[in-house]
Amino acid sequence: MAKGMFSYSIGKKLIMGLTGMFLILFLIVHCGINSLIFLNDGGETFNRAAEFMSHNWLMRTLEVGLFLGFILHIIQSLILTLENKKARKIGYAVSNANANSKWYSRSMGLLGTLILIFLILHLRHFWVVSRFTDHISSGEETLYDEMKEVFANPIVVIIYVLAQISLAYHLMHGFQSAFQTLGLNHKKYTPIIKKIGTIYAIIIPLLFALMPIVMYLGIVK
Amino acid sequence: MKITLKVWRQKNKQDAGHFETYQLDNVSPDMSFLEMFDVLNEKLISEGKEPVAFDHDCREGICGMCSMYINGRPHGPLRGVTTCQLHMRSFKDGDTIVVEPWRSTAFPVIKDLTVDRSAFDRIIQAGGYISVNTGSARDANNILVPKENADKAFLAAACIGCGACVAACKNASAMLFVAAKVSQFALLPQGQIERKQRVLNMVKKMDEEGFGNCTNTGACEAECPKGISLENIARMNREYICAALTSEK
Ligand code: HEM
Ligand code: SF4
Ligand code: FES
């Protein structure tokens, strides 16, 4: 391996792309399991799946990987964003960037920061409660009960929905961008990747956003 | 046509710079953008004022010297066109046009609208060459090249090094320029000898010169007067990742 590969721009971007793709895969699993609440069976299937995930050594190991993935993604994005600011110290008086690029592709740092703020709140709501208190392990409460409790608060519901909008735009650009960063560009496949990316960026955040909404409205009991 | 120009004026690298407003009353729609600047400069000279410094050479879209950021876009409102090939018919009578230099830490302003783009030359020096034997001329078709590769290399080689990609990019990244140069060699048999070292060296130099990191916004491709494709950036990423991972140095 070339010395200092990860201190040069393309090496740093490689980390961004790989961690981004890893997070994309994680979201599929996360969204898949959580969507079990739509079965509207009082959370039975969902609780069983959550139980399985939390008592599985493979999942526990992947969880460590997930934290590392997030941390790398966030630190690297911070470094890249600061370097990019330095690359143009004096800006333009007039800039018509909408003529050449999408606003969300230029706002990845902002969208990511909004996701990060949500993430801290989200971990506090569920991860901390299930891992560091005995509410759930004691059988006093299920994760499903916890969800209902959290989503009884309309402000929380609104924050969750807004965060999903940020995620949708982050991925609208990020999904296909990660492929480009890894050099995976192809005359036939790239248009397909872009379509899948758009579908992914709509479906996953939409399902996530529906969860607090249906729980708040009592559609899912 | 009547045109109001707001032009960036800056005495030298150290000067903070400011905008000056100029009024031109007799602009022909058939003038090129640079000819309009010639008219402005004639006027300034006759008034005993300092003319606006701007870069230009061929005035036919092939040298890459002209560089103006016009109403928020490099090379102005048209796609696939350099500033010298832009005509005043692309504007309306009574328009106000704001003209700024390329803005990038790696391209410091020398004076007014001229910037120092020698960072590009140093990137080329770092790897934009091939090894050939000198001596008598070779047979033209001695080395076989697949037609698709020849076409792609040719399209990449169309880059004129104007720097509009850097100017357009929100990160002032030079990836499109460097990718075009890396691609034109990587695609051809003649470029294979230095293939790995070339991409490593050119990317290293690009970073050292202070260009930003690509975030794939695609602004470069949209503003490139020569239509250099983002496909080249993906190719360079591929070239770099393979070269860096397999390098023994
Ligand atoms: C579940 C959450 C997240 C997912 C699935 C995700 C996914 C992605 C993907 C796929 C990319 C494109 C990578 C590339 O172009 O190579 C990306 C880029 C980026 N992400 Fe995230 N990300 C997430 C959270 C975050 C957070 C929390 C932050 C910041 C605090 C962040 C900041 C960025 C930035 C600045 C970029 C660079 C923009 C670019 O290169 O296009 N992301 N993300
Ligand atoms: S890639 Fe296009 S915009 Fe960039 S220097 Fe070459 S010709 Fe100019
Ligand atoms: S002056 Fe040569 S390209 Fe414009």
Side-chain angles (χ1 to χ4, degrees), chain B residues 39-60:
Chain B
V39 171
L40 170 67
N41 278 347
E42 290 295 336
K43 185 171 164 231
L44 290 176
I45 291 166
S46 68
E47 288 166 2
K49 293 183 187 145
E50 180 84 6
V52 181
F54 63 90
D55 264 328
H56 64 107
D57 188 18
C58 70
R59 296 204 177 194
E60 54 184 2

Side-chain angles (χ1 to χ4, degrees), chain B residues 13 55 106-110 114-122:
Chain B
K13 272 187 193 178
D55 264 328
F107 289 163
V109 172
I110 300 170
T114 59
V115 296
D116 179 357
R117 282 170 283 181
S118 56
F120 270 10
D121 300 336
R122 291 187 290 275

Side-chain angles (χ1 to χ4, degrees), chain A residues 141-189:
Chain A
E141 232 192 5
T142 64
L143 197 59
Y144 189 75
D145 296 331
E146 181 64 28
M147 259 174 119
K148 281 208 289 199
E149 227 169 85
V150 169
F151 296 145
N153 182 345
I155 300 192
V156 171
V157 174
I158 291 170
I159 293 176
Y160 270 59
V161 171
L162 290 178
Q164 293 315 309
I165 296 174
S166 310
L167 180 65
Y169 279 111
H170 195 74
L171 291 171
M172 196 82 82
H173 177 67
F175 191 102
Q176 54 84 33
S177 171
F179 283 84
Q180 170 81 359
T181 298
L182 303 185
L184 304 173
N185 175 298
H186 188 274
K187 206 171 160 174
K188 280 193 187 141
Y189 304 144

